[in-house]
Structures are given as structure tokens and as C-alpha cells.
Amino acid sequence: MNRAHDMRLPLDDRLRIERTLWTLDSHLDDLPFRIKRARRREMRATLYAAAADVGTAEAVRRLGDLTTLAADYLAAEYGDRGPRPSYTMGAVWLITVHVVAGLVTEAGTAAFTAGVLAAEPRATGDFRWSGVPWFIDEATITLRGGEETAAVGGAWAPLVYLISVAALVVGGRLWRLLPWWRRRHAAAPHG
Amino acid sequence: MPSTQDAQLLKGVLSLLLLRLVAERESYGYELVQRLRGIGLSGITDGTVYPALARLEREGRVATRLAESRSGPARKYYRPTGDGYRALTEGADGWLRLAGVVTPVLSPPVPDEPAPPAEEG
């Protein structure tokens, strides 16, 4: 983007164009990032050219309904098969849930141990942490002279695994594999 | 604005027109909209043309390059690829054949009343 040249349009016109691009962008989340960025750049250049010709308001109006435009872009990219699942995004969300659950487990046991040691710096024995209801099972931390020697328990509850599966499905949009969804998308009108 | 039927007809032939225009002269998106309006498609909307260009690009029928512009951001110029030229040739032949069949049927004035069935005539 050549920002020096953008100064030829008044600020409110540039803001209007950016708002239009942002709105269109928000409907193009199904496009791969590289393609989405290319479309945005092209549309920006096009809107600037049109705005210089017929004014910004008319340039934006001539795009028509942005939802329809975005649907046509998606149809242009994916054809009649419709958008596909994103296994990468599904994996990212799955890993994110596991990392967060792991951090909560570590932080919980560390905080519990720190609390025990704050009360008795040379604590010795087995100490039971009750975990996080519904998420993390109870754990037993063994201390010898204020040093942690073992930790047992603290497993993730089934709800964590359910959330993992939900994150995989929602993040990866796996419902696009379902035959009824593909049929419905294939039946939708394309430009 | 064209009627809905006209718009549907246009969508069917828009890719062909775009390939033809960029075969004549490398152009960017808005320029193509203007050129389409210039040949008489005054009701065509920008939002119809850009996805059609995106489709041609995905299908490998046009190649693109970015070029600096004096009046705004860099513009994306389109030109046909080898596949694009082939699609243009085949599409144009198909269109002209179809038009050759359809035009003689549709060109004469519509009669006020249909003729009686052949066996009664």
C-alpha cells in the first residue's frame, strides 16, 4: 500500500473505505489468510480508484451488499464444494486448551505448595490439594523438609477433554465434513 | 439496472467478457468495470466483477502483477494465461454457436397469436 498517495483522499473518505474493507474482511474469515490479505489489498486499490472517479460514497455503493460480495468471493475461491474444514486451526485450538489446562494444573499445585510452605517452611508429609472442581482432580503433594519429593494426581477431569473436542470441532469447523452441510452449501447460489 | 434475468445471463458470459478484455489490454479491476460499462453494460456492479476476476485467477486463467499507481495503492493488473486464451477461444466459439442458433429464433417480431397446431393447419 502506498500510503503517501492515500493522502489525496480526505480522512473521512479513507476511514469510510477502511470501514468497508473491515466489514468485508469480517465476512471472509473462511478464506486462507494469504488470499484474504490479497483480496483486501486489491479491494483497497479498487476503492481508491473508484473513489477518485465517482466519489467514495458511490464507490462503496457500487460494491453492492457486502455480505453478498463476500459470499461471491468465497464461491469464487471454493467453487461448489464450499469452504473446507481447517485442520490447522482445529489443532491450534486443541493445543491451546491443553496448554491452558496444563498451566492451570501447574499453577494450582505450585500455589498450594507455596501456601503449605508459607505456613510451615520445613513441612514434611503428604498434603492434599483438592484441585479445581469439574476441571482438575485432587492431587497429593509429598514434602520432605520443605522440599517437594513427589506429586500424585491432578489429572484433568472429563470436562477438559470435552472442551478439547469442542475446540477441535469449532476451531476446525469440522461440521463442513457433514454431508448435509455440503449439500446445503452446494445448493446455495453462486456468482 | 439490468433485470434479474439479464443479470443471470450476464453472469454466464461475464468470465468470457473479462478474458476478452484483458486479452486486448492488461487492466486492473476498476478499469475492467469501466470498460464493461463502456461497451454498454451500464448496469453492471463492481461487486459482480471482482469475484469473477477472483474466480478466473483461482482457475489459473489469468495471471496478475502489482503495479504502482499515481493516485492510490498499487493496482493488480490482469492478463490471460495459456489456459485463459484456450478458455476464451472455446468459450467464444461456444457462445457464437449458441447465439447463431438462438438469434434467428428470437429476432423476428413476436406474432400476436400462436398459429394453430401443425395437424390442424
Side-chain angles (χ1 to χ4, degrees):
Chain A
M1 184 177 164
N2 189 340
R3 294 191 183 279
H5 291 147
D6 299 348
M7 298 305 290
R8 294 185 179 197
L9 278 182
L11 177 63
D12 57 337
D13 283 355
R14 281 183 281 148
L15 288 175
R16 186 169 192 161
I17 286 174
E18 291 306 319
R19 190 183 66 185
T20 303
L21 291 171
W22 185 87
T23 305
L24 181 63
D25 233 29
S26 68
H27 294 297
L28 292 176
D29 282 341
D30 288 330
L31 286 179
F33 177 75
R34 181 179 55 82
I35 295 173
K36 186 175 165 184
R37 187 180 57 187
R39 297 282 168 259
R40 183 171 57 235
R41 283 182 176 168
E42 183 182 14
M43 186 56 73
R44 180 180 285 115
T46 293
L47 280 172
Y48 272 88
D53 186 27
V54 295
T56 304
E58 179 65 10
V60 170
R61 193 192 66 77
R62 286 182 178 183
L63 288 181
D65 177 52
L66 294 179
T67 309
T68 305
L69 177 59
D72 286 346
Y73 266 129
L74 290 174
E77 186 59 33
Y78 294 112
D80 294 334
R81 292 177 306 159
R84 285 158 287 186
S86 172
Y87 298 109
T88 305
M89 287 308 296
V92 166
W93 279 102
L94 178 68
I95 291 168
T96 301
V97 169
H98 281 220
V99 167
V100 169
L103 287 174
V104 169
T105 307
E106 286 300 315
T109 52
F112 176 76
T113 305
V116 171
L117 293 176
E120 175 51 66
R122 302 280 303 159
T124 296
D126 293 338
F127 298 87
R128 183 176 152 274
W129 175 49
S130 59
V132 178
W134 299 100
F135 288 94
I136 300 169
D137 291 345
E138 67 176 40
T140 301
I141 292 115
T142 303
L143 300 174
R144 292 281 177 269
E147 293 292 323
E148 182 180 330
T149 57
V152 178
W156 295 341
L159 184 59
V160 174
Y161 293 99
L162 274 177
I163 293 172
S164 298
V165 171
L168 175 66
V169 171
V170 174
R173 302 177 183 194
L174 298 190
W175 58 83
R176 291 175 178 168
L177 292 170
L178 297 173
W180 69 264
W181 191 90
R182 297 180 76 83
R183 275 197 304 272
R184 193 190 66 171
H185 194 92
H190 298 309
Chain B
M1 285 290 291
S3 69
T4 304
Q5 282 177 323
D6 287 348
Q8 290 302 318
L9 280 174
L10 179 61
K11 277 189 176 181
V13 78
L14 181 58
S15 297
L16 205 53
L17 287 172
L18 289 170
L19 279 173
R20 175 68 199 209
L21 291 180
V22 295
E24 288 173 0
R25 188 174 77 229
E26 252 188 316
S27 299
Y28 62 95
Y30 183 63
E31 184 184 0
L32 285 166
V33 174
Q34 289 176 307
R35 290 177 68 192
L36 286 167
R37 291 202 178 109
I39 61 173
L41 299 171
S42 54
I44 198 163
T45 62
D46 302 29
T48 308
V49 175
Y50 304 139
L53 285 169
R55 187 183 290 261
L56 286 172
E57 187 181 5
R58 179 182 63 82
E59 292 169 345
R61 292 179 175 175
V62 292
T64 62
R65 68 176 178 89
L66 284 176
E68 288 296 318
S69 159
R70 279 175 295 181
S71 60
R75 291 169 177 169
K76 191 173 178 181
Y77 281 81
Y78 293 85
R79 62 178 303 155
T81 60
D83 278 353
Y85 279 110
R86 273 189 293 279
L88 175 58
T89 306
E90 290 168 11
D93 287 348
W95 173 263
L96 292 174
R97 272 199 308 274
L98 182 64
V101 172
V102 172
T103 303
V105 177
L106 297 182
S107 295
V110 179
D112 293 334
E113 274 191 52
E119 60 266 24
E120 292 179 18

